[in-house]
């Protein structure tokens, strides 16, 4: 491999920052600093000037270099800066203040409805909170799996397809999490006998029913894997029984 090819392989267009470029320009005898070079490059690029013409124009006289390494590094920086300008990328000079990073807003849990019943506004706020807060969602998932064996057992025994099981489990988990959020005393574990027959005692609040029915309707209308009508009815019955059981599992204190 020839030396000329070695040098070409080592040449990389890279802007190292204003402080580095300022020092290299000074060593080359230029009266410009990085900000002035950037301004001239932007103007030249806007006029359609090529880098081969724009960069030599930065020097009033033939640049002088203490060593070939300094010359190489200067042109690497100048061409790197030119590429940033040509690509329309933002160039941050070292002496510019960094823009403040936007503060990450922590999701806020909805106000509990205890000792009353959830409203439609609470259900919507709880859903959004669970969507936005991954840690809370994980915490409620673990609690659901550890405390609601009867619900999970009923789903296992229903011989649902993977899609049907997934819809029912996800929906019951969401309803469980909403009730835990709104009822600070918490929920007890659902008893298996409660799931063996339809029951509305105590009556389930309508906003929770509406949320469940809307989610089931969306599952039926899903474009990729819609639930068949026959299985949908099985899932609906399991979800309604599970919701009633969860509502009845609220602790008194």
């Amino acid at each position: 491999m020839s030396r000329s090819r070695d040098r070409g392989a080592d040449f990389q267009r890279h802007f190292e920052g204003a402080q580095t470029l300022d020092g290299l320009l000074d060593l080359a005898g230029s009266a410009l600093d990085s900000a002035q070079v950037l301004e001239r490059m932007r103007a030249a690029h806007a006029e359609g000037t090529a880098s081969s013409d724009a960069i030599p124009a930065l020097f009033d006289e033939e640049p002088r270099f203490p060593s070939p390494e300094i010359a190489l590094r200067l042109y690497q920086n100048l061409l790197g800066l030119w590429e940033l300008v040509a690509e329309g990328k933002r160039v941050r000079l070292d002496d510019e203040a960094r823009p403040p990073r936007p503060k990450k807003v922590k999701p806020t849990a909805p106000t509990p409805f205890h000792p009353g019943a959830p409203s439609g506004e609470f259900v919507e706020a709880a859903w959004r909170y669970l969507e936005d807060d991954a840690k809370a969602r994980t915490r409620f998932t673990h609690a659901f799996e550890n405390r609601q064996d009867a619900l999970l057992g009923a789903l296992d025994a229903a011989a649902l397809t993977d899609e049907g099981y997934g819809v029912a489990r996800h929906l019951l988990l969401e309803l469980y999490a909403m009730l835990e959020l709104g009822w600070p005393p918490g929920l007890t574990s659902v008893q298996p006998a409660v799931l063996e027959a339809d029951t509305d005692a105590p009556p389930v609040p309508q906003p929770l029913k509406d949320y469940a029915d809307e989610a089931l309707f969306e599952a039926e209308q899903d474009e990729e894997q819609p639930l068949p009508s026959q299985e949908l009815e099985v899932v609906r019955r399991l979800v309604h029984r599970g919701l009633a059981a969860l509502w009845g599992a609220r602790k008194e204190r």
Side-chain angles (χ1 to χ4, degrees):
M1 183 177 290
S2 68
R3 290 186 179 182
S4 61
R5 291 182 65 186
D6 281 340
R7 285 198 298 270
D10 292 339
F11 190 91
Q12 296 181 355
R13 302 184 180 199
H14 175 61
F15 176 56
E16 299 178 72
Q19 185 175 0
T20 298
L21 182 55
D22 285 344
L24 293 169
L25 289 167
D26 184 61
L27 289 173
S30 173
L32 302 178
D33 60 17
S34 297
Q36 293 169 316
V37 167
L38 177 59
E39 183 179 355
R40 291 196 182 189
M41 282 187 174
R42 284 172 173 164
H45 183 264
E47 294 172 357
T49 305
S51 62
S52 57
D53 295 323
I55 290 178
L58 298 173
F59 301 92
D60 294 331
E61 300 178 357
E62 186 71 21
R64 61 181 187 276
F65 303 104
S67 68
E69 289 75 17
I70 295 297
L72 175 68
R73 193 172 178 188
L74 172 63
Y75 284 107
Q76 285 178 323
N77 273 268
L78 289 174
L79 287 168
L81 182 58
W82 177 266
E83 283 193 348
L84 294 175
V85 171
E87 293 171 4
K89 295 183 178 179
R90 181 179 182 274
V91 179
R92 187 185 64 81
L93 301 180
D94 292 346
D95 56 354
E96 290 182 351
R98 289 180 180 269
R101 290 185 178 181
K103 292 184 178 180
K104 188 175 182 180
V105 179
K106 184 178 180 180
T108 303
T111 302
F113 57 79
H114 175 273
S119 63
E121 290 75 14
F122 170 84
V123 172
E124 176 70 16
W127 171 77
R128 291 190 179 278
Y129 173 70
L130 294 170
E131 281 286 304
D132 295 339
D133 195 320
K135 290 184 178 179
R137 193 164 60 247
T138 299
R139 184 174 72 252
F140 284 122
T141 298
H142 291 164
F144 179 73
E145 292 172 346
N146 292 330
R147 300 174 189 170
Q148 301 301 335
D149 291 340
L151 281 178
L152 294 173
L155 294 182
D156 290 335
L160 298 169
T161 64
D162 290 344
E163 291 76 15
Y165 180 89
V167 169
R169 186 184 186 283
H170 179 76
L171 187 48
L172 286 172
L173 167 59
E174 282 190 322
L175 294 167
Y176 166 80
M178 289 179 181
L179 289 174
E180 285 281 0
L181 284 169
W183 196 267
L187 277 65
T188 62
S189 298
V190 169
Q191 298 303 311
V194 180
L195 299 170
E196 295 176 0
D198 292 317
T199 177
D200 284 326
V204 175
Q206 192 62 41
L208 292 174
K209 281 186 176 181
D210 291 343
Y211 180 83
D213 288 339
E214 182 179 351
L216 291 171
F217 175 78
E218 291 177 356
E220 183 183 22
Q221 302 299 318
D222 187 83
E223 294 182 357
E224 295 183 0
Q225 292 180 321
L227 280 184
S229 299
Q230 185 175 358
E231 184 170 45
L232 178 65
E233 291 308 312
V234 177
V235 172
R236 190 191 312 278
R237 184 169 62 253
L238 286 169
V239 169
H240 284 177
R241 287 180 179 178
L243 173 57
L246 288 170
W247 180 249
R250 290 166 296 140
K251 296 179 181 178
E252 293 298 325
R253 60 177 67 183

